[in-house]
Amino acid sequence: MRAPRPYPPEHVDPEAVSPSAPFRTWKQLGLVLLCAAWVALGLAGHDPWKTEDATSIGVAAAMAQSGDVVVPTLAGEPYVPRPPLTYVGGALAIDAFAPPLAVHNAARMIVGLALALTLLATAIASRELNGRAFRWLPVLLLVGSVGFWDRAHVLSPELFMTLGVAVGLCGLALALRRPLAGGALLGAGLGIGFLGNGLQGPLWLLVTALVLPLCGPEWRNRAHLAAVVVGLAVGVALSAPWLVALGARDPALLREWLASESPGDYVWFLGDGTQRADPLYYLRNLAWFTWPALPLVLWMLWLRGRGFNGGLRDAGVVLPGVLALVILAGLLVQPDVRLANALPLLVPLALLAALEVDSLRRGFSGALDWFGILTFGLAALLMWGLWIDAYVDGMPQAVARLFRDTESGYRPSFHLGSIIAALALTTLWIILVRPARRSNRRVLLNWAAGVTLIWGLVTTIWLPYLDSRRSYRWTVEAAAAHLPPGGCVASRNLGEPQRAVFDYFAGIRTVREEMHPDHDCAALLAQYGHLSTLPEPPPGWVMAWTGARRGDDTERFVLYTRQPS
């Protein structure tokens, strides 16, 4: 059998295109600034938005006020479906940065730290597995990832689970050279993942560690066993104190948390049959969610599968590959179907995608580079044009319809700082991007720079518009103005984010009818979905107010007051 030949002329020596080349310091500084801009943009300047951002900020604000780090509370009620690391981090950031920052902006500062640590852990893992010349490539892939876009810039347990997975992967990579240090880092990842989002992330890491010995001799030895044992010990030492403290505070709350971590919550066929998984959901969304990593991973598998550049048995392929398959398998059998759960998958995919960037054919890499430049250039031009048109004449109805906005005529305000920042980002992108010349790595840099540009325009000139449509501030204040004086407020079908923002903006802590059906409150706040006509008031109640977020008809709030006898 003929031995595999080296890949033909397109193959490039990684060391020849590494930051060790001339101007290394300037290159590294530029990469750091690019990552810092991507991390920082969008953390401040807007209210808590729907989903996890509103929930987590509400819980973190309550924790900062009470100082209780054991039992998180949501709108005055214990909230323990997830461990408290996300909320503790938000509360610490509030204590540190509010004032001068508003409470919700201060809470998101911990998001910036979590993102920076995720990028750092990914870079270290890549350096350990593939060498120093590869440490920046996965970072650029994460910055340019469509899946990370806005989901990575909100305060959420899934972000801390992603951080835990990145740190744990870094520990497993380091353990090949230094088992004890790698094991300690693996344990830190287990602890962060557990305290951030429960057992899901640690289970993925542990299953990966158990499967690795089946994949190669690098892991069939005492060193790997020692690393796993040390990791378990460190992970348990970090995780157990909260469980012990929660059980000591209130055994019922510990039982409530344990009930939310049942096997059926992670594998649908181990549950009671009331919930089922939807594997096609993730498979349908994988192509765009993991872009641009997925096509590069497929190229790497095709190339390495033919025996080039070390083949598929290389540790840099096996370790992130096993973790990616474990995470994907876990997502496919999980009944809780949300794209936020797939955020950790982007970390091992970024490591795999970086391996054969240098081996891309120049024609393909050049086409990909021009595609990115044209895409982001036209998108930036369109965003500037729409903003100027809306500023001069108001947003046209056709554009509002494109944004799924039910209101037209929006006029953005002129904020000098935002305009200067947007112009600076646009100018820097024009200076930075150019077609790939000396190496294929320029493609990843240009793509990451383009994503940062568009994200920067969204979070500068377009942020007031998004905030006016996603914030609940005006809705909550309008509802509060129609409340009867004194007495409690009951709620019906009010979601967790909505309960959090009503408490955060107006101090309204509702008595949930789902928990207390026999309440005697003088007001009832009900949440509905899209309504063509308002429903009839419940018996004994009269409608006092109805409203929704600006430009959004997907949910409607109705405030009822008791009908006089």
Side-chain angles (χ1 to χ4, degrees):
M1 182 176 178
R2 188 169 59 182
R5 60 184 174 84
Y7 199 69
E10 284 81 2
H11 178 66
V12 179
D13 180 10
E15 295 298 331
V17 291
S18 76
S20 301
F23 309 107
R24 169 187 169 190
T25 302
W26 290 106
K27 290 180 180 180
Q28 291 195 6
L29 178 61
L31 290 169
V32 169
L33 291 177
L34 175 67
C35 295
W38 176 80
V39 167
L41 289 168
L43 295 183
H46 65 87
D47 287 336
W49 287 348
K50 191 177 179 180
T51 65
E52 283 298 335
D53 193 50
T55 303
S56 298
I57 288 176
V59 176
M63 183 175 287
Q65 190 173 21
S66 68
D68 186 355
V69 299
V70 176
V71 181
T73 58
L74 174 64
E77 297 180 6
Y79 183 74
V80 290
R82 290 161 179 180
L85 179 61
T86 305
Y87 318 121
V88 171
L92 292 175
I94 291 170
D95 290 337
F97 300 109
L101 295 179
V103 169
H104 49 272
N105 290 330
R108 290 195 204 94
M109 294 301 105
I110 198 66
V111 174
L113 178 61
L115 280 177
L117 291 177
T118 300
L119 298 181
L120 178 63
T122 304
I124 295 174
S126 184
R127 185 188 65 185
E128 290 293 329
L129 292 171
N130 307 309
R132 185 170 174 272
F134 284 88
R135 67 190 187 279
W136 277 107
L137 295 185
V139 173
L140 292 176
L141 283 161
L142 286 179
V143 170
S145 173
V146 176
F148 253 24
W149 185 242
D150 62 336
R151 293 174 184 84
H153 288 82
V154 300
L155 185 62
S156 70
E158 289 80 12
L159 175 61
F160 282 84
M161 176 175 64
T162 304
L163 172 60
V165 168
V167 172
L169 174 59
C170 181
L172 288 171
L174 180 62
L176 291 169
R177 185 169 58 90
R178 299 174 59 189
L180 296 183
L185 206 54
L186 170 62
L190 294 173
I192 293 171
F194 171 79
L195 291 174
N197 197 47
L199 293 173
Q200 187 176 45
L203 285 175
W204 287 340
L205 289 171
L206 289 175
V207 171
T208 299
L210 295 177
V211 171
L212 283 174
L214 305 177
C215 302
E218 303 96 321
W219 297 282
R220 287 196 294 268
N221 50 51
R222 293 182 178 178
H224 179 68
L225 178 62
V228 174
V229 170
V230 170
L232 276 172
V234 173
V236 170
L238 292 175
S239 306
W242 177 70
L243 294 175
V244 173
L246 183 64
R249 176 75 66 83
D250 190 341
L253 291 178
L254 179 60
R255 290 193 296 270
E256 180 182 341
W257 176 82
L258 290 172
S260 68
E261 294 283 347
S262 65
D265 291 317
Y266 297 112
V267 182
W268 68 268
F269 53 80
L270 297 180
D272 56 9
T274 59
Q275 291 181 306
R276 297 185 67 86
D278 184 9
L280 293 179
Y281 174 82
Y282 290 107
L283 297 178
R284 284 194 307 267
N285 290 283
L286 211 58
W288 68 265
F289 186 81
T290 61
W291 182 273
L294 186 58
L296 295 175
V297 172
L298 296 177
W299 165 254
M300 182 276 298
L301 293 174
W302 182 82
L303 189 65
R304 294 291 183 101
R306 298 167 62 196
F308 297 116
N309 302 336
L312 294 174
R313 293 187 177 275
D314 182 73
V317 178
V318 173
L319 175 52
V322 170
L323 179 58
L325 289 175
V326 168
I327 293 175
L328 181 59
L331 293 173
L332 295 181
V333 298
Q334 186 177 358
D336 182 19
V337 180
R338 293 183 303 125
L339 277 176
N341 292 332
L343 284 177
L345 180 62
L346 299 174
V347 175
L349 286 183
L351 267 71
L352 293 172
L355 290 175
E356 293 300 335
V357 170
D358 299 322
S359 301
L360 284 171
R361 296 186 182 276
R362 287 299 173 87
F364 178 77
S365 65
L368 184 61
D369 196 34
W370 274 111
F371 170 74
I373 292 174
L374 291 175
T375 299
F376 294 120
L378 291 175
L381 186 62
L382 179 63
M383 293 176 71
W384 272 110
L386 290 176
W387 185 88
I388 294 172
D389 183 48
Y391 181 76
V392 174
D393 299 319
M395 182 176 291
Q397 187 174 0
V399 176
R401 193 182 306 116
L402 179 66
F403 291 163
R404 297 181 180 180
D405 189 346
T406 58
E407 297 179 5
S408 59
Y410 170 82
R411 287 180 179 269
S413 57
F414 186 90
H415 189 280
L416 183 60
S418 297
I419 298 296
I420 292 176
L423 287 173
L425 287 169
T426 306
T427 304
L428 288 175
W429 178 82
I430 294 173
I431 295 173
L432 178 65
V433 275
R434 61 180 184 271
R437 293 177 180 176
R438 293 195 307 168
S439 77
N440 294 338
R441 299 186 176 205
R442 190 75 190 180
V443 178
L444 299 187
L445 177 60
N446 287 351
W447 186 271
V451 168
T452 304
L453 168 64
I454 301 304
W455 179 241
L457 294 180
V458 167
T459 54
T460 52
I461 57 175
W462 281 102
L463 187 60
Y465 171 76
L466 293 176
D467 195 35
S468 70
R469 268 52 184 168
R470 293 189 177 186
S471 174
Y472 286 92
R473 179 188 296 270
W474 301 276
T475 308
V476 171
E477 291 175 349
H482 290 81
L483 286 175
C488 62
V489 180
S491 63
R492 178 180 297 175
N493 300 326
L494 200 63
E496 290 178 353
Q498 291 75 21
R499 291 171 56 213
V501 294
F502 272 91
D503 182 24
Y504 180 75
F505 286 123
I508 301 173
R509 296 183 174 181
T510 61
V511 177
R512 289 185 290 161
E513 277 194 344
E514 296 83 359
M515 303 292 293
H516 306 280
D518 298 327
H519 66 85
D520 59 353
C521 294
L524 171 64
L525 181 64
Q527 180 180 343
Y528 300 96
H530 174 75
L531 293 175
S532 55
T533 59
L534 289 175
E536 290 294 326
W541 298 88
V542 294
M543 188 179 72
W545 169 87
T546 181
R549 290 183 299 168
R550 294 175 178 173
D552 183 7
D553 62 354
T554 60
E555 60 185 16
R556 170 70 59 175
F557 299 95
V558 181
L559 179 67
Y560 301 103
T561 55
R562 286 196 182 273
Q563 192 172 22
S565 302

